[in-house]
Amino acid sequence: MIPHYDFPQLSRRLFGLTVRQNAHPDMRRLRRETGDASLHGNKFWKSSCLMMDYLKRHPLKKGARVLDLGCGWGLGGIFCAVQFDAKVTGLDADPSVFPFLHYHAELNGVSVDTWRCYYERVTKADLAGFDALIGTDICFWDKLENPLYNLTRRALQSGVKRVVLADPGRTPFVRLAVRAHEKLGAEFLNWQVTRPMKASGCIMDAAPIEFDK
C-alpha cells in the first residue's frame, strides 16, 4: 500500500481521475526515491485530457486489453481501467516512471501492469495479446516517427482493434498521423477540450483494414 497524503490544492480532478500536481508532497517524495525521468515522463501532460475526452466520446469495449505506450504517469491507461474496466499494461523505456503510475492507479482504485520495453522490440506476438493501444505525447522527436508508424502497422496486422494516439500537434506526430492516414486508413482529427482545462491538438485513431503486407 502506497501512503497517500491529501493536499486538495495540489491535486486535480480530470475526467473522473484524481491527479497530483508536481508540487504535491507525494510527487516530491517519489522523485527523491526514484530520481528524474530520462524520457520526459516526469509530469502530467495536457494531451492526456485530449485522450480521455476522445475516449469518453469514442469508448473502448468493456474489459478491453489495453497497452499504454510511453505511459509515463499512465493517466490514459488508468482512465481506461476506471471507465471501461480495461486490463491495462503501461509500457515505457524508463522504469523510473512506474512508481508514479502505480501511485496514481492505486489512488484511483485500479491496478495497472508495467512493462519496460522500447517500441522497436514489441513483436507481433506481444501485440496479439492486446485489443487496443493508446499513447499520449509520445511522438516528440523525429526519430520516433518510424518506430511508432511500424508499431501501429504491426499492431493492426496482429489483430489489435484500435490504435489511438494524442499529441499537441508536433511536426513528427503530424507526419506520423498523415502517413498512417494515407497507408493504413487511420483517422486524423483536430481535437480540443475546454474543461477541466484547456488543451488542443490532434488525435490519430487507426483500426484494421485491408492493406498490402
Side-chain angles (χ1 to χ4, degrees):
M1 177 70 68
I2 302 172
H4 299 150
Y5 298 95
D6 190 21
F7 292 80
Q9 72 278 17
L10 296 176
S11 299
R12 299 184 178 99
R13 288 291 293 174
L14 301 172
F15 297 93
L17 302 186
T18 298
V19 180
R20 300 305 197 202
Q21 297 189 43
N22 250 326
H24 191 283
D26 289 349
M27 299 297 96
R28 296 168 64 183
R29 172 179 55 80
L30 287 173
R31 284 196 297 275
R32 289 195 301 270
E33 293 172 356
T34 63
D36 292 329
S38 61
L39 294 172
H40 303 294
N42 60 337
K43 64 179 181 179
F44 160 79
W45 295 94
K46 281 189 176 182
S47 294
S48 295
C49 287
L50 301 180
M51 175 65 73
M52 290 186 277
D53 184 68
Y54 182 79
L55 291 178
K56 185 176 179 180
R57 298 168 187 270
H58 303 275
L60 302 178
K61 290 185 177 180
K62 289 287 185 179
R65 300 164 299 171
V66 176
L67 182 62
D68 186 359
L69 301 170
C71 60
W73 285 15
L75 300 182
I78 293 168
F79 173 82
C80 292
V82 171
Q83 292 292 320
F84 311 125
D85 195 27
K87 299 172 178 62
V88 180
T89 299
L91 179 149
D92 208 293
D94 180 5
S96 70
V97 302
F98 294 152
F100 295 87
L101 182 154
H102 289 305
Y103 174 92
H104 278 99
E106 185 176 296
L107 183 64
N108 287 282
V110 297
S111 62
V112 175
D113 293 331
T114 53
W115 178 17
R116 182 184 184 183
C117 192
Y118 289 89
Y119 303 137
E120 300 91 330
R121 297 179 183 175
V122 181
T123 67
K124 286 185 178 181
D126 295 326
L127 292 164
F130 296 97
D131 302 304
L133 273 58
I134 65 169
T136 300
D137 269 300
I138 60 174
C139 195
F140 45 83
W141 290 330
D142 290 342
K143 67 181 182 181
L144 291 170
E145 177 191 345
N146 280 338
L148 285 168
Y149 173 81
N150 291 332
L151 178 56
T152 299
R153 184 182 177 92
R154 289 198 304 279
L156 299 180
Q157 291 174 333
S158 300
V160 173
K161 302 303 182 186
R162 290 178 70 186
V163 179
V164 184
L165 306 180
D167 191 86
R170 298 182 185 89
T171 299
F173 177 83
V174 172
R175 288 198 304 263
L176 163 66
V178 169
R179 186 176 173 189
H181 171 71
E182 293 174 349
K183 296 183 179 295
L184 305 178
E187 291 188 82
F188 180 28
L189 310 166
N190 292 321
W191 204 261
Q192 63 180 0
V193 296
T194 56
R195 295 181 180 179
M197 66 172 56
K198 289 185 178 181
S200 62
C202 308
I203 298 286
M204 186 197 89
D205 191 345
I209 61 170
E210 293 296 325
F211 55 88
D212 294 336
K213 296 182 179 180

